[in-house]
Coordinates of all heavy atoms in Angstrom, one line a residue:
T1 N -11.7 -1.6 9.1 CA -11.2 -2.9 9.0 C -11.5 -3.5 7.7 O -10.6 -4.1 7.1 CB -11.8 -3.8 10.1 OG1 -11.6 -3.2 11.4 CG2 -11.3 -5.2 10.1
R2 N -12.7 -3.3 7.1 CA -13.0 -3.8 5.8 C -12.1 -3.1 4.7 O -11.7 -3.7 3.8 CB -14.4 -3.5 5.5 CG -15.4 -4.4 6.1 CD -16.8 -4.2 5.6 NE -17.7 -5.1 6.2 CZ -19.0 -5.1 5.9 NH1 -19.5 -4.2 5.0 NH2 -19.8 -6.0 6.4
A3 N -11.9 -1.8 4.9 CA -11.0 -1.1 3.9 C -9.6 -1.6 4.0 O -9.0 -1.8 2.9 CB -11.1 0.4 4.2
Q4 N -9.1 -1.8 5.2 CA -7.7 -2.4 5.3 C -7.7 -3.8 4.6 O -6.7 -4.1 4.0 CB -7.3 -2.5 6.7 CG -7.0 -1.2 7.4 CD -6.7 -1.3 8.8 OE1 -7.0 -2.3 9.5 NE2 -6.0 -0.3 9.4
A5 N -8.7 -4.6 4.8 CA -8.7 -5.9 4.2 C -8.7 -5.8 2.7 O -8.1 -6.6 2.0 CB -9.8 -6.7 4.8
A6 N -9.5 -4.9 2.2 CA -9.6 -4.7 0.7 C -8.4 -4.1 0.1 O -7.9 -4.5 -1.0 CB -10.8 -3.9 0.4
L7 N -7.7 -3.2 0.9 CA -6.6 -2.5 0.3 C -5.3 -3.2 0.6 O -4.3 -2.9 -0.1 CB -6.5 -1.0 0.9 CG -7.6 -0.1 0.5 CD1 -7.5 1.2 1.2 CD2 -7.6 0.1 -1.0
G8 N -5.3 -4.1 1.5 CA -4.1 -4.9 1.9 C -3.4 -5.5 0.7 O -2.2 -5.3 0.4
P9 N -4.1 -6.3 -0.1 CA -3.5 -6.9 -1.3 C -2.9 -5.9 -2.3 O -1.9 -6.1 -2.9 CB -4.6 -7.7 -1.9 CG -5.6 -8.0 -0.8 CD -5.5 -6.8 0.1
M10 N -3.6 -4.8 -2.4 CA -3.1 -3.8 -3.4 C -1.8 -3.1 -2.9 O -1.0 -2.8 -3.7 CB -4.2 -2.7 -3.6 CG -5.4 -3.1 -4.4 SD -6.4 -1.8 -4.9 CE -7.2 -1.3 -3.4
I11 N -1.7 -2.9 -1.6 CA -0.5 -2.3 -1.1 C 0.6 -3.3 -1.2 O 1.8 -2.9 -1.5 CB -0.7 -1.9 0.4 CG1 -1.7 -0.7 0.4 CG2 0.6 -1.5 1.1 CD1 -2.1 -0.3 1.8
E12 N 0.4 -4.6 -0.9 CA 1.4 -5.6 -1.1 C 1.9 -5.7 -2.5 O 3.1 -5.9 -2.7 CB 0.9 -7.0 -0.6 CG 0.5 -7.0 0.8 CD 1.7 -6.9 1.7 OE1 2.8 -7.4 1.4 OE2 1.5 -6.3 2.8
G13 N 1.1 -5.5 -3.5 CA 1.5 -5.6 -4.9 C 1.9 -4.3 -5.5 O 1.9 -4.1 -6.7
M14 N 2.3 -3.3 -4.7 CA 2.7 -2.0 -5.2 C 4.1 -2.1 -6.0 O 4.9 -2.9 -5.6 CB 2.9 -1.0 -4.1 CG 1.6 -0.6 -3.5 SD 1.7 0.3 -2.0 CE 2.1 1.9 -2.6
G15 N 4.2 -1.3 -7.0 CA 5.4 -1.3 -7.8 C 6.5 -0.5 -7.1 O 6.4 0.0 -6.0
D16 N 7.7 -0.3 -7.8 CA 8.8 0.4 -7.2 C 8.5 1.8 -6.9 O 8.9 2.4 -5.9 CB 10.1 0.2 -8.1 CG 10.6 -1.2 -8.1 OD1 10.4 -1.9 -7.2 OD2 11.3 -1.5 -9.1
S17 N 7.9 2.5 -7.8 CA 7.6 3.9 -7.6 C 6.6 4.1 -6.5 O 6.7 5.1 -5.7 CB 7.0 4.5 -8.9 OG 5.7 3.9 -9.2
D18 N 5.7 3.2 -6.3 CA 4.8 3.2 -5.2 C 5.5 2.9 -3.9 O 5.1 3.4 -2.8 CB 3.6 2.3 -5.4 CG 2.7 2.7 -6.6 OD1 2.7 3.9 -6.9 OD2 2.1 1.8 -7.2
Q19 N 6.4 2.0 -4.0 CA 7.2 1.7 -2.8 C 8.0 2.9 -2.2 O 8.1 3.1 -1.0 CB 8.2 0.5 -3.0 CG 7.5 -0.8 -3.2 CD 6.9 -1.3 -2.0 OE1 7.1 -0.8 -0.9 NE2 6.0 -2.3 -2.1
T20 N 8.4 3.8 -3.1 CA 9.1 5.0 -2.7 C 8.2 5.9 -2.0 O 8.6 6.4 -0.9 CB 9.6 5.7 -4.0 OG1 10.5 4.9 -4.7 CG2 10.4 7.0 -3.6
A21 N 7.0 6.0 -2.4 CA 6.0 6.8 -1.7 C 5.6 6.2 -0.4 O 5.5 6.9 0.6 CB 4.7 7.0 -2.5
K22 N 5.5 4.9 -0.3 CA 5.3 4.2 0.9 C 6.4 4.4 1.9 O 6.2 4.7 3.1 CB 5.1 2.7 0.7 CG 4.7 1.9 1.9 CD 4.5 0.4 1.5 CE 4.3 -0.4 2.7 NZ 4.1 -1.8 2.4
A23 N 7.7 4.3 1.4 CA 8.8 4.5 2.3 C 8.8 6.0 2.8 O 9.2 6.2 4.0 CB 10.1 4.2 1.6
Y24 N 8.5 6.9 2.0 CA 8.4 8.3 2.4 C 7.4 8.6 3.5 O 7.7 9.2 4.5 CB 8.1 9.2 1.2 CG 8.0 10.7 1.5 CD1 9.1 11.5 1.8 CD2 6.7 11.3 1.6 CE1 9.0 12.8 2.1 CE2 6.6 12.6 1.9 CZ 7.7 13.4 2.2 OH 7.6 14.7 2.5
V25 N 6.2 8.0 3.4 CA 5.2 8.1 4.4 C 5.6 7.5 5.7 O 5.5 8.0 6.8 CB 3.9 7.5 3.9 CG1 2.8 7.4 5.0 CG2 3.3 8.3 2.8

């Protein structure tokens, strides 16, 4: 839960190349 809370803002602020990886997963 703590890791999700800490990583949540980073995932929200991902760039376009990172969004492609997110969409793939």
Side-chain angles (χ1 to χ4, degrees):
T1 304
R2 283 186 177 181
Q4 285 176 340
L7 295 175
M10 288 192 288
I11 292 173
E12 295 294 327
M14 292 169 78
D16 291 336
S17 63
D18 295 332
Q19 288 293 347
T20 305
K22 184 179 174 183
Y24 177 74
V25 170

